[in-house]
C-alpha cells in the first residue's frame, strides 16, 4: 500500500494533467497524494515560489501551455535537466537548461498520457504511432531514448528533493525483488489448417514442407507447449493472450472454443488474457462479440488485454477495453523497435485526454517483442540476445519491469524459431541470476502495488 502525502496542485490551467503526473511519479516511490489546501500541503506544484510551507515545485507557464496544446519538439528544442551528471530531456516548458522541478511533473504527464502521440497525426498502415516519428527515436542512445526512459529519472530527481525536504520515501519492489520480467505470449492461432497448409505448400513448390505441415506434429500447438515448458523451467508463469475473433486477413483462424480446454490445462499456473482481433478496431459491435466469445470459451470475463498488431487509438481503444471489464493492458510498445513507448518501465494508469481524467485501465508497458527483433529489425539470435539484455538492463537499473512478448510459431523456419526460443531461455536465466522476479502481468502488478517497503527508489 502507498503512504499518503498531503499534496496540492495550484496552477491556472491543466490541473488534471499536473495532478496525474504528480500522482504517477509518487506512486513509484511508494507514496500517494492526499489532496489538500496549499496551507496544509507538504508537497505542492505551483507557478509561484513558496506557496506555503513544505516542498513546492515550480512549474513554468510554458509547461502548462504545452500540456494544453501538445507539440512534439525536436531533441534540440527540448528543455534539459541535469540528473546524476547527465542532461535529460524535458518535452515541456522553455528550451535549454531548467531547474523547474514542476516541469518534470508536467513532463511525466506528457509522456504517460500520450501527448507525444496526440501531437503527431502520422500513423503507419496499421494505424499505429510510428517509432520513427517519436522523440525517443530522435534521441537514440542519449538520455530519454527508447532504452533510457525519462519519467523514471524524473521520479529519481523528485525522490532526492523529497528527502532533502525531510520527507521519507518508502520506494517499491516486486514482492521483495528489485526488478521484474513479465513473460507474455500472443497466440494468434492455436492449430494449423492442414488442408490449407498442404495446398499452399504444394502451390509454392515446397512439397516436403507441405507434407510436414499436413501430416506431422502441429507446430502451432507444439510451439505453444514449448513456450509453456520455457516458463516452467524458470518457475515463471506467463500471461497468454488469445484471440476469439477473425475479421480480416490479418486475423488468422483461431478455433479458440475447440482448444479452450487444452489451453486452460496447459497454462493452469498462468493467466489468460484477451487478444482483440485486427478487425475489431473502430467496430463497437465486434468488441462486444469478442468479449462474449472470450468469456464463453475461457469461463471468465476478460481482465487483461493486448490488441493484435498493437493497434491502438485514443480514447477509443482504452475506453473499449475498460468498458468491457479489462483492467490491465500491455499493448503500448513500439512494433519497430524495443523500448519504452510512454517513457517509463513502471506500470501506470492511462489518462483519458478527452475526458481530462485518469482511466481505470492500468498499463504494464510492452518492452520487447520477438517480431520486432526478427522481422522489423532483421536481427540474428546473437544480436537479438544483446537487444533483450539491453531492455532487461534498463528495467533493472530503474527498478522497473520488462514485459516480453513471444509468439507461438505461425509460419517460417522451424529451426529458426527454436534458436530464438533458446536465446530467450538464456536471457531469462540471466535475468533471474540478476535478481529479477519472473511472472505474469497481473501477478507482478499486484505485487508491485502492494509492496512499498523502503528498499528501492
Amino acid at each position: 500500500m502507498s503512504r499518503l502525502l498531503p499534496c496540492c496542485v495550484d496552477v491556472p490551467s491543466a490541473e488534471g494533467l499536473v495532478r496525474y503526473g504528480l500522482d504517477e511519479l509518487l506512486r513509484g516511490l511508494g507514496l500517494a497524494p492526499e489532496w489538500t489546501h496549499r496551507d496544509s500541503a507538504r508537497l505542492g506544484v505551483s507557478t509561484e515560489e513558496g506557496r506555503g510551507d513544505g516542498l513546492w515545485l515550480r512549474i513554468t507557464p510554458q509547461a502548462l501551455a504545452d500540456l494544453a496544446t501538445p507539440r512534439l519538439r525536436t531533441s534540440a528544442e527540448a528543455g534539459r535537466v541535469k540528473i546524476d551528471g547527465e542532461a535529460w530531456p524535458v518535452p515541456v516548458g522553455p528550451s535549454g537548461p531548467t531547474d523547474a522541478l514542476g516541469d518534470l511533473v508536467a513532463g511525466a504527464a506528457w509522456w504517460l498520457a500520450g501527448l507525444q502521440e496526440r501531437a503527431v497525426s502520422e500513423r503507419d498502415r496499421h494505424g499505429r504511432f510510428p517509432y520513427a516519428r517519436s522523440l525517443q527515436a530522435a534521441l537514440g542512445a542519449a538520455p530519454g531514448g527508447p532504452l533510457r526512459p525519462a519519467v523514471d529519472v524524473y521520479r529519481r530527481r523528485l525522490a532526492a528533493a523529497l528527502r532533502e525536504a525531510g520527507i521519507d520515501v518508502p520506494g517499491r519492489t516486486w514482492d521483495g525483488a528489485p526488478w521484474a520480467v513479465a513473460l507474455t505470449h500472443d497466440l494468434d492461432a492455436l492449430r494449423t489448417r492442414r488442408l490449407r497448409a498442404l495446398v499452399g505448400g504444394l502451390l509454392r513448390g515446397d512439397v516436403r514442407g507441405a507434407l510436414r505441415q499436413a501430416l506431422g506434429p502441429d507446430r502451432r500447438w507444439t510451439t505453444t507447449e514449448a513456450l509453456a515448458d520455457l516458463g516452467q523451467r524458470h518457475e515463471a508463469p506467463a500471461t497468454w493472450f488469445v484471440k476469439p475473433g477473425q475479421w480480416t486477413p490479418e486475423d488468422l483462424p483461431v478455433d479458440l472454443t475447440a482448444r479452450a480446454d487444452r489451453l486452460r490445462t496447459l497454462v493452469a499456473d498462468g493467466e489468460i488474457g484477451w487478444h482483440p482481433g485486427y478487425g475489431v478496431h473502430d467496430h463497437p459491435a465486434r468488441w462486444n462479440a469478442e468479449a462474449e466469445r472470450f468469456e464463453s470459451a475461457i469461463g471468465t470475463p476478460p481482465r487483461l488485454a493486448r490488441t493484435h498488431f498493437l493497434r491502438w487509438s485514443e480514447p477509443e481503444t482504452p475506453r473499449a477495453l475498460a468498458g468491457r471489464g479489462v483492467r490491465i493492458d500491455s499493448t503500448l510498445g513500439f512494433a519497430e523497435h524495443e523500448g519504452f513507448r510512454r517513457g517509463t518501465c513502471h506500470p501506470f494508469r492511462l489518462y483519458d485526454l478527452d475526458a481530462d481524467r485518469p482511466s481505470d485501465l492500468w498499463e504494464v508497458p510492452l518492452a520487447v517483442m520477438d517480431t520486432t527483433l526478427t522481422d522489423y529489425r532483421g536481427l540474428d539470435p546473437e544480436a537479438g540476445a544483446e537487444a533483450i539484455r539491453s531492455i532487461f538492463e534498463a528495467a533493472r537499473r530503474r527498478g522497473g519491469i520488462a514485459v516480453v512478448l513471444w509468439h507461438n510459431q505461425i509460419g517460417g523456419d522451424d529451426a529458426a524459431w527454436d534458436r530464438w526460443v533458446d536465446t530467450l531461455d538464456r536471457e531469462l536465466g540471466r535475468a533471474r541470476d540478476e535478481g529479477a522476479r519472473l511472472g505474469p502481468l497481473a501477478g507482478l502488478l499486484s505485487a508491485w502495488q502492494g509492496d512499498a517497503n523502503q528498499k528501492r527508489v
Side-chain angles (χ1 to χ4, degrees), residues 154-165:
Y154 302 165
R155 182 179 288 116
R156 181 177 175 84
R157 179 65 185 89
L158 176 60
L162 290 169
R163 291 196 186 95
E164 291 168 7

Side-chain angles (χ1 to χ4, degrees), residues 73-94:
R73 301 176 176 185
T74 66
S75 57
E77 293 170 337
R80 289 289 190 276
V81 62
K82 206 66 169 293
I83 302 175
D84 295 337
E86 292 187 290
W88 286 81
V90 184
V92 298

Side-chain angles (χ1 to χ4, degrees), residues 42-377:
R42 297 191 67 195
L43 174 64
V45 180
S46 174
T47 54
E48 301 177 21
E49 299 276 8
R51 296 298 301 267
D53 296 331
L55 172 63
W56 282 84
L57 311 178
R58 181 175 63 87
I59 190 169
T60 63
Q62 183 62 57
L64 294 175
D66 290 338
L67 291 181
T69 308
R71 59 192 178 116
L72 180 61
R73 301 176 176 185
T74 66
S75 57
E77 293 170 337
R80 289 289 190 276
V81 62
K82 206 66 169 293
I83 302 175
D84 295 337
E86 292 187 290
W88 286 81
V90 184
V92 298
S95 299
T98 183
D99 60 0
L101 296 188
D103 283 9
L104 303 190
V105 175
W110 186 91
W111 286 107
L112 297 174
L115 288 172
Q116 169 174 232
E117 298 166 34
R118 177 66 66 97
V120 176
S121 60
E122 182 182 342
R123 296 293 184 266
D124 70 9
R125 66 189 182 91
H126 301 296
R128 304 177 302 201
F129 174 64
Y131 169 73
R133 292 285 286 116
S134 69
L135 181 56
Q136 292 100 317
L139 291 164
L147 303 183
R148 306 191 68 187
V151 173
D152 301 328
V153 179
Y154 302 165
R155 182 179 288 116
R156 181 177 175 84
R157 179 65 185 89
L158 176 60
L162 290 169
R163 291 196 186 95
E164 291 168 7
I167 299 172
D168 186 44
V169 179
R172 286 193 188 277
T173 71
W174 304 84
D175 195 21
W179 65 292
V181 174
L183 189 58
T184 72
H185 307 295
D186 289 2
L187 303 179
D188 296 337
L190 291 171
R191 72 179 181 91
T192 300
R193 297 297 180 95
R194 292 184 180 273
L195 180 59
R196 178 181 297 182
L198 175 63
V199 173
L202 293 175
L203 290 174
R204 292 191 303 271
D206 181 11
V207 176
R208 183 176 180 181
L211 292 174
R212 184 178 67 248
Q213 288 196 59
L215 303 176
D218 187 339
R219 284 288 290 183
R220 290 181 180 175
W221 185 253
T222 59
T223 55
T224 301
E225 293 175 322
L227 292 175
D229 291 342
L230 172 69
Q232 290 173 0
R233 282 197 298 278
H234 295 282
E235 300 178 349
T239 302
W240 303 78
F241 291 102
V242 294
K243 190 155 60 65
Q246 179 190 3
W247 310 100
T248 69
E250 291 82 3
D251 290 322
L252 294 170
V254 290
D255 300 308
L256 177 58
T257 301
R259 290 288 177 116
D261 289 342
R262 290 185 68 185
L263 180 64
R264 285 195 300 267
T265 300
L266 181 67
V267 304
D269 60 344
E271 303 165 351
I272 300 180
W274 179 19
H275 195 38
Y278 188 96
V280 166
H281 204 65
D282 296 331
H283 289 276
R286 293 178 180 178
W287 285 105
N288 291 333
E290 284 212 3
E292 292 169 2
R293 291 176 192 172
F294 179 96
E295 182 172 1
S296 175
I298 302 303
T300 60
R303 293 290 181 261
L304 304 101
R306 175 185 292 131
T307 64
H308 192 35
F309 274 74
L310 308 183
R311 301 193 85 193
W312 187 268
S313 61
E314 293 191 24
E316 295 82 8
T317 305
R319 286 182 180 178
L321 293 173
R324 289 157 181 83
V326 173
R327 291 294 172 260
I328 302 171
D329 177 76
S330 189
T331 298
L332 291 179
F334 291 112
E336 312 98 304
H337 203 285
E338 66 278 9
F340 301 99
R341 174 169 161 179
R342 292 285 173 98
T344 185
C345 60
H346 287 80
F348 61 97
R349 288 175 310 160
L350 293 165
Y351 194 86
D352 189 322
L353 288 168
D354 288 13
D356 194 24
R357 61 173 178 78
S359 169
D360 293 329
L361 190 63
W362 279 85
E363 185 67 25
V364 187
L366 175 62
V368 61
M369 176 171 65
D370 52 356
T371 53
T372 299
L373 307 178
T374 59
D375 297 359
Y376 288 94
R377 298 196 60 205

